[in-house]
Amino acid sequence: MLASIIYTPVEILLNKLLAQDPAAAAKLQELCPPDSQPVVSLICTTTPHWQLHALLDGPRLQLRSVYEGPVTASVSASASAFIRLVTAENTRTALFSRDVALAGDTHLVQALFETLRSLDFDWEYYMESVTGSVLTQQMSKALDSVRQWSGEFKNSMRDNLQEYLHEESGLLPQRSELEEFYNGIDELRLRLDRLEARLQRLL
């Protein structure tokens, strides 16, 4: 019951976006063979467990929490893997990772995700109709702040880790040490070439 309550507004939103994007709707239509209705099942393997069945109905989608008919393809993954799948720039790379289990028509799954990702979704405009413009602006600012903080935190952690590995732990050599090592290898290779040439002359 709870899943149905959640899926219904998502289904309405997706179909509105498809109706406003003829190119995406046409791609979705191409995924439907004549006289058939492909079904893609998404199964979350971690808590909270959930299932979502996407029925391709021409240029539209139907979302169901329960489906007992034949399934064209299925995607089983953890919640974090689904988040990466939705936010990844390269759908194919995220879809065929070791954290995702695919069954059935994998080409259909990839095409479906790429079609949905191509939709131009202005979430702020959609949220304003539900929560009001003031709350939406506050949420947008909060998300921007979190995004900025996470970027700064990632850069700081990367710099600190590099400094620790290079300077404090000694696990990784400095760039100057690497260049000196590579130069030594080149010099050794040159000496070996000269030695081989001398041996050839002696023989």
Side-chain angles (χ1 to χ4, degrees):
M1 178 66 70
L2 180 60
S4 298
I5 295 175
I6 296 175
Y7 295 160
T8 298
V10 175
E11 176 184 319
I12 294 174
L13 173 61
L14 287 176
N15 285 316
K16 282 185 177 180
L17 294 174
L18 287 168
Q20 297 170 3
D21 191 337
K27 291 180 181 178
L28 197 64
Q29 177 75 60
E30 293 175 358
L31 299 178
C32 298
D35 302 325
S36 66
Q37 188 178 53
V39 179
V40 176
S41 295
L42 308 180
I43 304 169
C44 181
T45 57
T46 55
T47 305
H49 299 279
W50 51 264
Q51 291 188 12
L52 170 62
H53 307 280
L55 285 67
L56 282 65
D57 186 13
R60 295 176 54 84
L61 278 175
Q62 298 180 33
L63 302 183
R64 298 182 184 178
S65 58
V66 178
Y67 180 76
E68 299 180 353
V71 174
T72 312
S74 65
V75 184
S76 300
S78 63
S80 58
F82 273 117
I83 293 175
R84 290 193 298 269
L85 183 59
V86 172
T87 58
E89 295 183 1
N90 190 321
T91 303
R92 179 178 178 83
T93 301
L95 194 60
F96 290 93
S97 68
R98 64 180 62 184
D99 299 328
V100 179
L102 298 176
D105 190 347
T106 57
H107 296 289
L108 171 64
V109 176
Q110 182 180 351
L112 176 60
F113 271 94
E114 290 178 348
T115 300
L116 294 180
R117 280 180 53 82
S118 68
L119 293 174
D120 186 13
F121 177 39
D122 187 354
W123 74 270
E124 291 189 17
Y125 175 80
Y126 177 75
M127 289 297 293
E128 282 185 6
S129 63
V130 179
T131 62
S133 59
V134 176
L135 180 58
T136 301
Q137 291 175 1
Q138 293 177 349
M139 291 172 60
S140 178
K141 290 180 180 179
L143 288 174
D144 289 339
S145 299
V146 172
R147 190 180 298 110
Q148 181 180 1
W149 174 84
S150 63
E152 293 174 352
F153 178 76
K154 181 180 68 175
N155 293 333
S156 176
M157 286 294 294
R158 181 189 60 196
D159 295 339
N160 290 335
L161 181 60
Q162 289 180 348
E163 181 179 358
Y164 172 77
L165 292 175
H166 284 293
E167 311 226 351
E168 297 187 19
S169 68
L171 293 176
L172 295 180
Q174 295 290 335
R175 181 180 296 274
S176 59
E177 295 175 344
L178 284 174
E179 292 179 353
E180 183 178 354
F181 175 72
Y182 293 143
N183 291 334
I185 292 178
D186 291 338
E187 184 177 353
L188 178 60
R189 184 183 297 112
L190 181 60
R191 290 182 178 180
L192 288 175
D193 291 341
R194 290 174 178 172
L195 180 57
E196 182 179 3
R198 290 179 182 177
L199 289 174
Q200 292 294 336
R201 286 198 299 269
L202 291 175
L203 294 175

